[in-house]
């Protein structure tokens, strides 16, 4: 469905370059874009010397989900949350579950315009006290996420982010004051694997976790274990030690089972024994709440 915002809004996070191009400062990719070009997330475009977010308000998925589906197990268990998404992602994971809405341009999927001020009444109609920004990467439509989170907070609702956490500091700081809970997908504890599988890097994700912890956001962390990719016991131990040593021992850690997806059809499902090994490793490192997902 076409909307008033189908042409996008001027983005908040970019720098103008002398040659007329723009540099997006939203995520660590820092895409430098010539006129008419799109960033890696497919939803931010250089136009007339400015950067435009084409995903703003173009909601392509809207559901009422149990909060446990995010997954958040220690944040209002048993309640439902209004969950929404716009198209786009700044990662390109070969195992993406939601590739049909994350690895596409906003105009490639059906969408309905939902302004931030419309969300509180939608939440009330669906009896939800929480709104989740989820399914794709809400940080790539940050302007919309921040505006929605602010409107929902002012209406007495709580905000949940489900994200890979690959974002620059300044935009994240705009969102943190409105955020109540987040599930962050920590994809591995190796920069090399991040680059190979997701076209991203590890350190910005760890920084995001730290900033959320410091801001008092309730955090739960998901680690999808993919056979032969990120299931090395030594790496899992290093990740769990880092979490325990950096103040995350009381935040739930979800090890999730992989099933063949998208561009990883040739990789088998994660053996249950691998998930058990990871669970024991995490407990041995002092992580207090460890859960297995997709089993
Ligand atoms: S948010 Fe998108 S356009 Fe901006 S730097 Fe990241 S991938 Fe590039």
């Amino acid at each position: 469905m076409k909307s008033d915002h189908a042409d996008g809004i001027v983005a908040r996070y970019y720098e103008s370059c002398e040659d007329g191009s723009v540099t997006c400062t939203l995520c660590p990719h820092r895409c430098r874009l010539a006129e008419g070009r799109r960033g890696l997330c497919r939803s931010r475009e250089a136009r007339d010397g400015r950067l435009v977010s084409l995903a703003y308000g173009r909601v392509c998925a809207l559901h009422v989900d149990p909060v446990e589906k995010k997954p958040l197990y220690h944040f209002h268990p048993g309640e439902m949350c209004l969950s929404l998404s716009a198209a786009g992602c700044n990662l390109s994971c070969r195992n993406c579950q939601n590739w049909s809405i994350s690895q596409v341009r906003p105009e490639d999927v059906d969408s309905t315009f939902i302004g931030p001020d419309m969300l509180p009444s939608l939440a009330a109609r669906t009896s939800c006290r929480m709104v989740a920004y989820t399914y794709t990467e809400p940080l790539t439509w940050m302007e919309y996420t921040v505006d929605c989170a602010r409107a929902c907070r002012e209406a007495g609702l709580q905000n949940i982010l489900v994200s890979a956490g690959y974002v620059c500091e300044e935009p994240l700081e705009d969102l943190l004051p409105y955020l109540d809970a987040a599930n962050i997908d920590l994809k591995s504890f190796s920069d090399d694997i991040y680059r190979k599988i997701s076209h991203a890097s590890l350190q910005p994700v760890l920084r995001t976790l730290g900033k959320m912890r410091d801001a008092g956001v309730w955090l739960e962390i998901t680690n999808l274990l993919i056979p032969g990719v990120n299931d090395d016991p030594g790496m899992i131990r290093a990740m769990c030690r880092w979490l325990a040593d950096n103040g995350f021992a009381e935040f739930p850690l979800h090890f999730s089972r992989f099933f063949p997806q998208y561009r990883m059809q040739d990789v088998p499902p994660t053996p249950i024994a691998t998930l058990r090994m990871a669970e024991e490793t995490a407990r041995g490192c002092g992580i207090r709440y460890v859960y297995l997902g997709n089993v």
Side-chain angles (χ1 to χ4, degrees), residues 172-288:
L172 178 62
E173 279 164 9
D174 286 349
L175 179 62
L176 287 177
Y178 308 112
L179 210 53
D180 296 288
N183 186 295
I184 299 297
D185 194 6
L186 181 55
K187 292 176 183 292
S188 73
F189 208 61
S190 154
D191 213 42
D192 193 41
I193 295 171
Y194 256 94
R195 284 183 205 289
K196 281 187 186 146
I197 302 297
S198 307
H199 191 59
S201 55
L202 172 63
Q203 285 308 319
V205 182
L206 300 184
R207 180 183 64 206
T208 293
L209 285 171
K211 290 191 87 70
M212 289 186 170
R213 174 204 58 207
D214 293 348
V217 176
W218 177 253
L219 270 172
E220 303 200 17
I221 296 163
T222 294
N223 178 228
L224 177 76
L225 287 170
I226 308 174
V229 174
N230 64 350
D231 59 349
D232 174 69
M235 190 177 66
I236 293 169
R237 190 173 305 110
M239 178 182 75
C240 294
R241 282 211 183 115
W242 184 89
L243 289 169
D245 290 347
N246 286 277
F248 299 96
E250 300 293 317
F251 293 122
L253 175 59
H254 302 257
F255 288 110
S256 193
R257 191 181 190 201
F258 166 86
F259 286 95
Q261 300 273 1
Y262 192 40
R263 294 182 174 150
M264 272 200 187
Q265 299 289 343
D266 52 341
V267 179
T270 317
I272 300 296
T274 303
L275 292 151
R276 294 275 178 229
M277 174 274 291
E279 181 183 20
E280 278 176 30
T281 301
R283 290 191 195 284
C285 290
I287 307 289
R288 189 157 170 203

Side-chain angles (χ1 to χ4, degrees), residues 139-158:
L139 298 178
T140 60
W141 23 282
M142 182 66 103
E143 291 84 357
Y144 182 58
T145 303
V146 169
D147 289 356
C148 289
R150 185 188 297 118
C152 288
R153 171 65 65 83
E154 285 170 1
L157 299 165
Q158 292 194 302

Side-chain angles (χ1 to χ4, degrees), residues 24-31 33 38-44 51 89-90 139-140:
C24 178
T25 56
L26 177 51
C27 94
H29 288 311
R30 291 184 65 89
C31 299
L33 305 171
R38 294 246 180 131
L40 291 169
C41 58
R42 301 178 177 87
S43 64
R44 299 169 80 80
L51 183 70
C89 183
N90 53 344
L139 298 178
T140 60

